[in-house]
Structures are given as C-alpha cells and as structure tokens.
C-alpha cells in the first residue's frame, strides 16, 4: 500500500502525527470524501502535515489518487471510524486544527448518538487539540449546526470563536460550491482550544497478543469449530462473526474472525489449542488486532460456546 495510506493496525499507538517533521503544524480532516479539500490544504501548505479520516474505502482510493498525482508527501489517509481513530490513535495536544465538512447530520432520533454533538466526541476534540488549536464544522443543515455549536460550547476546554452563515473560505468543497450556487445557506462554527489545558491520556488501546482464555477439559475441536461458521455475537456498538477454520498442526486450530466497533473493522485469527488439561484460546501470533470490545467479546464468546462442560475459564493478559 502507498505510503500515504496509514494502517493503524500495523503501527505503534499513539500514531506519530507529525511523521518526523518536528515542530510542524498538524491538521486533520474528518470525512474527507473525494479528497479535494484535503488535497488543496496540503498543497497550499507543504510545511504542515495533513491527515484525513474516512470510513469509505472507495473515497480513500479516490483521495489517494489525488495525493499521488500532486506528489503530496505531507498528506496521510486513514480508513476507519473517526471516533475510534481520535480516541485510540491520536496523541493528546497533537493537532493544530480539525476540519469537518458537511458530515451526515443523522436526523433520525434512533441515530442521534452518531452525531458530533453526542457522546464523548467533544471531549476527544478538546484532548487532541493543542492550546490555541481549532475545530471547524461546516454544514448546510442549520438545526444541526446550532446543535453542534451549543454542545461543543458547553465543554470547558472549548470556546466558540465563530458562528457564520455563508462564510468566505479560500478552499471550498465540491458540494459547498454547488449548494451556494443553488442559493442554499452554509453554516460554519469554529471552536478554539483554551490555553493552559493539555490533559494527557494515560494510555491507549493495547494489542491483543497476550490475551488468552483457558477452557478446562478435552474437547472435539474439529466438530465444534465445524459448526461455528457464520455464528455471530455482539454487545452495544460492537459485533463479531466467526468465519472459516483451519488445522495448523500440533492440535492447533485457526478461526477466522471479522470484528467491528462502529465502523472500525478488524480481521484476525484466533487459535484454539488442545493441551493435556485444557484448551487455550488466544489471538494468533500472525494477527495484531487492537483489543477493542468486539475483539475481547469474540475471544470470550468462543470460550463460552466451547465450555459448557468446562470447570474453569479465566481471562488473562493485558486489559
């Protein structure tokens, strides 16, 4: 994969946001779409470092082609849920600015928890911004713009520095130009991180290599795993499904798992190893998933399905 596309699963966390350009201003665009806005930002300021986060792989590839064509060595792309990326991959006080252009407002009540105005999003924005840094959101939905404005203004580390209708901007998105030409109104809110507030996060999500569960007793792994294909499980905002299983020799069985936390998806293998007194269930050393709720859930669920007759089950390793 091209150097512009960063895979958090393969890097140490938190990510090195300045990519070796010590002292550079670092910016992030959440939901970069076709990449036009990010491309222009990075092209205008080649001394800065620009990141884009997007859930669509098709958008990721379109943006990558733009960046490659302009030879922008200061632009980096991540495919995933921005809520997860901010919380688990971005260091505290590492960003000078965050842009969010025309996000989905999720108008239905049942989807309201996905809005920028809900949950811990404002706290994570405040944490990753440097003192004096900014978060800017632009939308064509007035009710949504006002909701975000009011929600983020209530955070003690953020202050509203601008609320504008049809603001002049040197760089506009494709849809922004289209909607302005149609006479639609555009609403911008900008927030600044207050000085002197740079709380550091105590830790980031770990890898799952050292997590394992012991299920006591002898078990017919081939019959059990053969019936496991397609089995699903989940908890709020986390899902997993067991896929194919393979024999790896020495009594080791590999189980393919697809797990998702929101829109952040991971594919990995679990090992089931029959030993003298128990079956050891753990993440395969050939995998390196983050220890998200869905990954922990899949490991525990596999043990629960295997172990009705087990006398002991214990979760060990890092948490």
């Amino acid at each position: 994969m091209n150097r512009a596309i960063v895979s958090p699963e393969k890097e140490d966390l938190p990510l090195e946001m300045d990519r070796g350009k010590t002292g550079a201003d670092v910016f992030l665009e959440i939901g970069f779409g076709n990449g036009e806005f990010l491309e222009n930002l990075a092209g205008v300021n080649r001394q800065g470092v620009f990141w884009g986060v997007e859930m669509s792989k098709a958008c990721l590839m379109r943006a990558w082609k733009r960046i490659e064509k302009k030879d922008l060595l200061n632009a980096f792309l991540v495919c995933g849920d921005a809520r997860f990326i901010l919380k688990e991959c971005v260091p505290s006080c590492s960003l000078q600015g965050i842009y969010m252009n025309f996000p989905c407002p999720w108008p239905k009540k049942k989807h309201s928890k996905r809005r920028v105005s809900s949950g811990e999003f404002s706290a994570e924005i405040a944490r990753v911004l440097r003192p004096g840094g900014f978060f800017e959101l632009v939308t064509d939905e007035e009710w949504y713009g006002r909701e975000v404005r009011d929600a983020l203004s209530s955070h003690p580390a953020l202050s509203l520095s601008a609320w504008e209708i049809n603001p002049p901007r040197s760089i506009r998105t494709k849809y922004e130009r289209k909607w302005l030409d149609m006479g639609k109104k555009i609403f911008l809110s900008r927030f600044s991180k207050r000085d002197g507030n740079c709380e550091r996060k105590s830790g980031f999500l770990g890898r799952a290599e050292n997590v394992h569960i012991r299920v006591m007793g002898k078990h017919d792994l081939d019959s059990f795993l053969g019936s496991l294909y397609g089995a699903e499980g989940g908890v709020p905002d986390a899902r997993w499904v067991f896929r194919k299983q393979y024999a790896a020799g020495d009594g080791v069985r590999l189980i393919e798992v697809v797990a998702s936390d929101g829109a952040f998806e991971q594919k990995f293998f679990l090992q089931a190893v029959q030993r003298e007194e128990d079956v050891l269930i753990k993440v395969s050393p050939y995998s390196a998933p983050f220890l998200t709720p869905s990954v922990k859930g899949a490991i525990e669920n596999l043990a629960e399905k295997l172990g009705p007759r087990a006398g002991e089950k214990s979760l060990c390793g890092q948490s």
Side-chain angles (χ1 to χ4, degrees), residues 10 16 20 22 31 45 47 165 167 202-203 238 245 262 269 276 280 289 293 312:
K10 298 179 181 179
E16 181 190 12
T22 305
N45 179 10
Q47 299 306 310
I165 301 175
S202 59
Q245 60 104 354
F269 286 93
E276 286 296 325
L280 181 67
E312 176 190 348

Side-chain angles (χ1 to χ4, degrees), residues 24-28 94-98 128-135:
D25 286 336
V26 183
F27 302 87
L28 170 71
S94 61
L95 301 180
Q96 184 60 34
I98 302 173
V128 300
L129 285 176
R130 298 171 181 171
F134 66 87
F135 170 71

Side-chain angles (χ1 to χ4, degrees), residues 256-301:
E256 184 183 23
V257 184
V258 179
S260 61
D261 297 82
F264 182 72
E265 183 178 285
Q266 300 185 88
K267 297 180 181 179
F268 59 97
F269 286 93
L270 293 178
Q271 282 187 348
V273 186
Q274 179 68 66
R275 305 188 298 186
E276 286 296 325
E277 298 181 349
D278 60 31
V279 173
L280 181 67
I281 296 174
K282 63 178 183 178
V283 173
S284 167
Y286 304 106
S287 303
F290 295 124
L291 193 57
T292 62
S294 67
V295 173
K296 289 184 68 174
I299 298 171
E300 293 172 344
N301 188 220

Side-chain angles (χ1 to χ4, degrees), residues 91-95 123 125-133 155 157 193-202:
S92 300
C93 299
S94 61
L95 301 180
I125 290 292
R127 182 184 65 80
V128 300
L129 285 176
R130 298 171 181 171
H155 192 282
K193 170 81 171 285
R194 290 190 169 92
D195 292 338
N197 189 317
C198 202
E199 181 181 350
R200 299 286 174 176
K201 186 175 180 179
S202 59

Side-chain angles (χ1 to χ4, degrees), residues 114-272:
R114 300 183 183 181
R115 297 174 192 162
V116 176
S117 52
S118 67
E120 300 178 351
F121 192 84
S122 59
E124 288 303 319
I125 290 292
R127 182 184 65 80
V128 300
L129 285 176
R130 298 171 181 171
F134 66 87
F135 170 71
E136 181 177 288
L137 182 138
V138 181
T139 179
D140 60 317
E141 296 285 353
E142 182 174 7
W143 68 268
Y144 181 59
R146 292 185 180 277
E147 182 176 290
V148 172
R149 179 195 66 183
D150 296 342
L152 270 67
S153 295
S154 65
H155 192 282
L158 299 173
S159 61
L160 181 68
S161 57
W163 167 255
E164 301 179 53
I165 301 175
N166 296 337
R169 297 211 298 169
S170 57
I171 300 174
R172 296 187 183 277
T173 69
K174 171 184 174 182
Y175 289 107
E176 184 176 1
R177 296 191 299 270
K178 178 180 177 180
W179 289 328
L180 286 172
D181 289 343
M182 292 171 58
K184 292 189 69 173
K185 291 182 178 179
I186 303 301
F187 303 88
L188 177 147
S189 53
R190 177 182 278 241
F191 305 85
S192 298
K193 170 81 171 285
R194 290 190 169 92
D195 292 338
N197 189 317
C198 202
E199 181 181 350
R200 299 286 174 176
K201 186 175 180 179
S202 59
F204 285 83
L205 201 60
R207 306 288 185 184
E209 294 97 326
N210 297 324
V211 175
H212 59 271
I213 296 180
R214 296 171 59 235
V215 179
M216 301 304 294
K218 294 282 188 177
H219 299 271
D220 183 352
L221 291 181
D222 289 332
S223 296
F224 166 70
L225 296 176
S227 65
L228 191 66
Y229 182 84
E232 301 182 12
V235 295
D237 298 322
R239 302 290 302 174
W240 58 87
V241 59
F242 299 107
R243 309 297 290 179
K244 296 180 180 179
Q245 60 104 354
Y246 307 88
D250 297 328
V252 177
R253 300 294 182 269
L254 295 177
I255 306 96
E256 184 183 23
V257 184
V258 179
S260 61
D261 297 82
F264 182 72
E265 183 178 285
Q266 300 185 88
K267 297 180 181 179
F268 59 97
F269 286 93
L270 293 178
Q271 282 187 348

